[in-house]
Amino acid sequence: MKETRIVKVNPDSPDIHEIRQAASIIRNGGLVAFPTETVYGLGADGLREDTVNKIFIAKGRPQDNPLILHVSSPDDISQVATCISPVVDKLVEGFWPGPLTLVLPKKPNVPDVVSGGLPTIGVRMPDNLIALTLIAESGTLLAAPSANLSGRPSPTQASHVVDDMWGRIDLVLDGGPTRLGVESTVLDLTQDPPLILRPGSVTREELEDVVGVVNLLAEKKEERPSSGKTLPAAKYPHYILDTPLFLFEGEPQAVIKRIQEEAEKLRERSKKVGIISSLENKEQYLDYADVVEVVGSRYDMTKVAASLYSTLREVEAHKVHVLLAEGFSDRGLGFAVMNRLREAARGRVIHV
Ligand code: TXA
Ligand code: MG
């Protein structure tokens, strides 16, 4: 059991002394959780096998699920990846710093443990001053998965990191709630056209505006990736809730009616029911459930994305027996939100 320290840092003007202390922990082979614009990351020196191994152990993460290397400048890409084409340049110019991870052929100096044995490496430059200063001061690149226990919702607040990682890591830099709340989009540039392995905060439409056609792994399920193996982003679900979640998709009025009916039936069987609702529909559920949590307005997907993971953690804390969740439109950012909700539902999706 480690002694985990928590240090509050101002995200707009981080105290350089605090960041330097965090950087010295990284250089000495330790683990530091830090905020990014998407979710909190769990960072270690990404160019050392021993330190990267510690990340897998702390998270309980399967060894073949690769990590993203975080850089503080686009120039750092060439340290760890090859095939930096004009398309890569356009993406970097359009989206970095920001929530886009580029998957490129890996250089041999990156330990295989980082990429889970794959010949490719994911690289991203986060849009958060604490993260960027920490990477630069560490004098290396940071391997950083989301700072949750493997399979749990990603942390969007320092308290989530503490709940999952207390005693397992050295330091948490608390920079307040993260801005976006859904992880980066993972884009494989070793495929032509580029392939979205994980939908995220940068939408397919935004990518296509910059580089033309982009494919989605979800739409290519029947096709096997070139390696002949299942790609890691598709193999490991983002989270498993302790409570079974049923997701209701369809015309909003029909969804409300069906959720009310299902909640009523469950409560007749003495089940404690939680409902995850849009702001607009909350009132419709108050008489039907033990807990109703609002995830945001249907007309503001940015807010829904930002509060999705904290809402899931909050509703779970009520220890209900079953969760019923409203679906959202999967256009734009809604696609990443629905991807996470569908994963949480693990097949329990009801089309009404
Ligand atoms: O927003 C984010 O991306 C956050 C913050 C901390 O940067 N990080 C994050 O990391 O979500 P993680 O490890 O929780 O998720 C990384 C995803 C996984 O689904 C992994 O399988 C995929 O990216 N991935 C990473 N490198 C890959 C590679 N070389 N090939 C295919 N998939 C890769
Ligand atoms: Mg993760």
Side-chain angles (χ1 to χ4, degrees):
M1 188 86 164
K2 280 177 186 282
E3 197 186 314
T4 306
R5 273 200 324 130
I6 306 165
V7 173
K8 275 205 188 303
V9 185
N10 181 338
D12 301 317
S13 63
D15 179 332
I16 192 69
H17 302 289
E18 301 287 11
I19 303 282
R20 284 195 179 134
Q21 281 191 13
S24 88
I25 293 175
I26 297 281
R27 278 197 303 274
N28 289 321
L31 299 178
V32 175
F34 61 95
T36 78
E37 79 281 33
T38 58
V39 301
Y40 274 76
L42 175 56
D45 186 336
L47 301 178
R48 276 171 57 183
E49 186 175 320
D50 61 332
T51 51
V52 172
N53 272 326
K54 289 185 190 172
I55 294 179
F56 285 94
I57 293 167
K59 277 186 61 103
R61 178 172 173 119
Q63 287 274 352
D64 62 348
N65 193 4
L67 305 179
I68 296 168
L69 281 180
H70 292 66
V71 300
S72 59
S73 150
D75 299 338
D76 295 340
I77 308 181
S78 58
Q79 276 188 52
V80 293
T82 62
C83 301
I84 302 162
S85 63
V87 170
V88 174
D89 291 337
K90 274 196 206 167
L91 289 166
V92 165
E93 192 165 311
F95 298 102
W96 277 19
L100 177 65
T101 295
L102 304 176
V103 172
L104 291 164
K106 176 177 99 60
K107 278 194 170 169
N109 60 312
V110 181
D112 285 337
V113 61
V114 182
S115 63
L118 292 174
T120 55
I121 186 73
V123 190
R124 117 170 169 92
M125 178 177 173
D127 186 16
N128 177 293
L129 209 47
I130 298 174
L132 292 172
T133 317
L134 176 65
I135 302 163
E137 291 290 328
S138 299
T140 182
L141 308 189
L142 296 192
S146 49
N148 50 279
L149 285 175
S150 187
R152 299 283 305 152
S154 293
T156 55
Q157 302 171 17
S159 64
H160 301 160
V161 180
V162 171
D163 287 345
D164 280 15
M165 305 308 291
W166 186 255
R168 294 168 175 261
I169 64 178
D170 299 289
L171 177 66
V172 182
L173 293 175
D174 178 355
T178 59
R179 185 163 53 86
L180 301 176
V182 163
E183 301 88 342
S184 64
T185 303
V186 179
L187 185 67
D188 187 349
L189 289 152
T190 68
Q191 317 265 335
D192 189 16
L195 179 65
I196 296 177
L197 300 177
R198 175 179 72 180
S201 284
V202 172
T203 65
R204 180 187 199 172
E205 295 84 342
E206 287 169 326
L207 291 171
E208 290 192 328
D209 280 346
V210 174
V211 295
V213 175
V214 168
N215 284 338
L216 251 178
L217 183 62
E219 288 176 356
K220 290 183 53 141
K221 275 233 169 88
E222 69 288 1
E223 288 175 42
R224 301 214 132 223
S226 49
S227 66
K229 292 195 294 192
T230 310
L231 285 166
K235 185 156 124 196
Y236 294 107
H238 291 93
Y239 43 78
I240 306 145
L241 295 171
D242 293 338
T243 317
L245 181 145
F246 291 82
L247 177 62
F248 295 78
E249 297 188 31
E251 193 274 311
Q253 287 309 316
V255 164
I256 295 172
K257 190 159 171 288
R258 184 67 187 273
I259 290 182
Q260 289 172 338
E261 284 167 12
E262 295 298 332
E264 214 159 30
K265 277 193 248 164
L266 286 160
R267 289 175 95 198
E268 274 163 18
R269 289 162 44 209
S270 307
K271 300 284 183 205
K272 203 174 160 189
V273 176
I275 294 180
I276 299 174
S277 163
S278 57
L279 180 65
E280 289 73 22
N281 298 344
K282 179 180 179 184
E283 304 292 323
Q284 310 272 1
Y285 300 124
L286 294 176
D287 293 339
Y288 292 86
D290 299 274
V291 184
V292 182
E293 287 282 351
V294 170
V295 69
S297 165
R298 304 204 146 260
Y299 306 106
D300 183 1
M301 282 316 282
T302 314
K303 173 71 176 53
V304 172
S307 49
L308 179 66
Y309 291 144
S310 56
T311 303
L312 289 174
R313 283 184 183 250
E314 275 158 31
V315 75
E316 216 181 20
H318 289 283
K319 301 278 173 217
V320 294
H321 296 114
V322 182
L323 280 172
L324 309 179
E326 284 185 354
F328 291 86
S329 150
D330 56 13
R331 277 207 311 273
L333 185 57
F335 190 75
V337 168
M338 287 305 289
N339 167 268
R340 306 306 191 269
L341 279 171
R342 287 172 187 142
E343 281 188 0
R346 326 205 98 212
R348 290 179 287 248
V349 179
I350 292 147
H351 295 272
V352 291

